[in-house]
Amino acid sequence: MMGLDTGQIAVVALTAVSAGCVAYALIYPYLSGDIRGEKRRKAAAKPTARRVVAGDRGVDALARRKQVGDSLKELESRQKERAKLTLETRIAQAGLDWSPRRFYVISAVAAVVLALTFLAASGNKYMALFGLIIGAAGLPKWLLGFLRKRRIKRFLEAFPDAMDVIVRGIKSGLPLGDCLRIIAAEGREPVKSEFRLICETQTLGMPIGEACGRLYERIPVPEANFFGIVILIQQKAGGNLSEAVGNLSRVLRERKKMKGKVDAMSMEAKASAGIIASLPFVVGILVYLSSPHYIELLWLKQIGIVVMLASGLWMLLGVLVMRKMINFDM
C-alpha cells in the first residue's frame, strides 16, 4: 500500500513537472517580451529604406552646406586680395582702355597746361606750382573717379534686366552660357561689354563660376558680387538656378527702389549743404563787386590771409561733416 502510493505520487509529480515545462516553454516568450521584441524588429525593418533615404538626404544636405561654406570662404579670401586697387584696375573700372604709361603721359600734359594757365592768369609762380600739383595728382584722379561712378550707375540701371533675361532663358530650357551670350550681344552698355568679357574668358577655358566672380573686380558693387556668388555656388553645389537668379533680380530692384527713396529723403539736406557751402563765396564775390577796396584787405594784409586760411579750413571741415551725414552706403 505504501509502495503503491509512492509510485502514484511519483507519476503525478513527473506529469506535473512535464506539464510545467511545456507550459513554461510556451508561455515564457510572452512573459519575457521576446514576441513583442520580434514584432518591434519586424516593424522596424519595414521603413529601413525610408530611413536610409532620409539619412542620404541628410548627408547630401550637409555636404551641400559644406560646399557653400567653402565657396563663401574662397570668395571672401579673393575679395581681401582685391582690396588693394592697382592703377590698371582703376582704369578698367572707369571703362577706359588706357595703359598706365598713357595715363601718366596725360597726367603730365594736364599738369603742364594747368601750370602755364595759372601762371599766365596770375603771374605768380606759387599759383603755377599749385596748378602743376592739381594737374599731376588731382585732375586725373578726379577724372577716373567721375568716369567710374558714371559707369557703375549705368551698370546698375541695366543689370536687373540682364538677370531677367537669364531667368527667362533658363526656364525656357537654354543653358547658362547661351543666356550670357544673349546679354553680351543684345544688352545695354556697360552690361553688354562686361558679359562679353565673361563669355570670352569662359571660351579661353576658365570655369563659368570663376568668370562671373571676376565681374566684381571690374564693377565693385554688391550687386555684381551677389551675382558671382550665386553662379559660383550653383556650379559647385547645384540647385535651382532660375529661382536663385530670380530672387537676385528682385533683390536688385528692391535695392534700387530703396536707394531712390534714400536719395529723395536726403535731397533737402544736400540742397541745404550746397547753399551753406557756396554762401561765403557768393557773398565774397558780391562784396568785391560792390566794394573792392573793402574786401581787398583779406589778401593784402597778413592777418587777412591768416583769417582766410583758418576760415577755409573750418569750412572744409564743415563740408566734410555734412557730406558724411547725408551720404548713405547702399
Side-chain angles (χ1 to χ4, degrees), residues 14-321:
L14 291 173
T15 304
V17 171
S18 299
C21 291
V22 172
Y24 180 79
L26 295 176
I27 299 174
Y28 176 75
Y30 293 95
L31 297 176
S32 62
D34 291 343
I35 299 297
R36 290 193 298 270
E38 186 66 23
K39 290 182 179 180
R40 287 196 297 269
R41 285 193 292 271
K42 290 181 179 180
K46 292 180 180 179
T48 301
R50 295 181 182 177
R51 289 203 305 272
V52 170
V53 173
D56 292 341
R57 291 178 180 175
V59 172
D60 293 340
L62 290 174
R64 185 175 180 182
R65 284 197 293 268
K66 186 176 183 302
Q67 289 179 350
V68 171
D70 295 340
S71 300
L72 292 176
K73 289 180 181 178
E74 183 180 355
L75 287 172
E76 185 178 358
S77 62
R78 289 181 182 178
Q79 291 176 6
K80 289 181 179 180
E81 293 177 357
R82 300 168 188 164
K84 297 181 180 180
L85 296 178
T86 61
L87 180 59
E88 293 85 350
T89 305
R90 293 177 181 176
I91 294 174
Q93 290 177 359
L96 302 174
D97 56 353
W98 295 354
S99 63
R101 180 179 180 181
R102 182 178 180 183
F103 176 80
Y104 290 131
V105 170
I106 293 176
S107 300
V109 172
V112 173
V113 171
L114 281 180
L116 294 177
T117 303
F118 279 31
L119 181 62
S122 62
N124 191 337
K125 60 180 180 180
Y126 295 105
M127 293 299 297
L129 179 62
F130 178 69
L132 186 67
I133 295 174
I134 292 178
L139 185 60
K141 185 177 180 180
W142 175 85
L143 179 62
L144 288 181
F146 172 77
L147 294 177
R148 175 178 175 271
K149 290 181 180 179
R150 188 181 67 175
R151 188 167 184 264
I152 289 176
K153 182 178 180 181
R154 294 169 59 190
F155 178 86
L156 294 178
E157 291 176 354
F159 193 53
D161 297 334
M163 297 298 98
D164 292 339
V165 170
I166 295 177
V167 173
R168 289 192 292 267
I170 293 176
K171 288 184 177 179
S172 63
L174 293 176
L176 178 60
D178 291 345
C179 298
L180 297 180
R181 281 188 284 271
I182 291 174
I183 299 172
E186 302 178 3
R188 291 186 294 170
E189 290 291 349
V191 174
K192 180 178 179 179
S193 59
E194 291 297 334
F195 276 79
R196 185 187 300 117
L197 186 58
I198 291 175
C199 295
E200 293 175 354
T201 306
Q202 182 190 1
T203 305
L204 295 176
M206 182 178 294
I208 188 171
E210 187 176 352
C212 294
R214 291 195 173 187
L215 177 64
Y216 181 71
E217 296 181 3
R218 301 182 298 273
I219 306 292
V221 293
E223 288 79 359
N225 193 23
F226 294 161
F227 174 69
I229 290 174
V230 168
I231 300 299
L232 184 60
I233 291 177
Q234 195 277 335
Q235 292 295 317
K236 289 189 176 183
N240 192 342
L241 181 59
S242 62
E243 182 180 358
V245 179
N247 293 333
L248 176 60
S249 177
R250 285 191 292 271
V251 170
L252 297 181
R253 296 186 186 278
E254 291 299 326
R255 284 175 59 86
K256 185 177 180 181
K257 291 180 182 179
M258 181 61 67
K259 188 175 185 303
K261 291 181 181 180
V262 171
D263 291 339
M265 294 175 64
S266 62
M267 190 57 65
E268 181 180 358
K270 291 180 180 179
S272 301
I275 293 173
I276 294 173
S278 62
L279 191 59
F281 299 99
V282 174
V283 172
I285 293 174
L286 293 177
V287 172
Y288 180 77
L289 294 177
S290 60
S291 303
H293 298 288
Y294 176 77
I295 200 172
E296 283 180 352
L297 298 176
L298 286 176
W299 57 82
L300 294 179
K301 299 293 184 177
Q302 188 71 25
I303 186 65
I305 296 175
V306 174
V307 170
M308 287 182 63
L309 292 176
S311 301
L313 179 62
W314 281 106
M315 182 179 173
L316 178 62
L317 181 62
V319 169
L320 294 177
V321 171

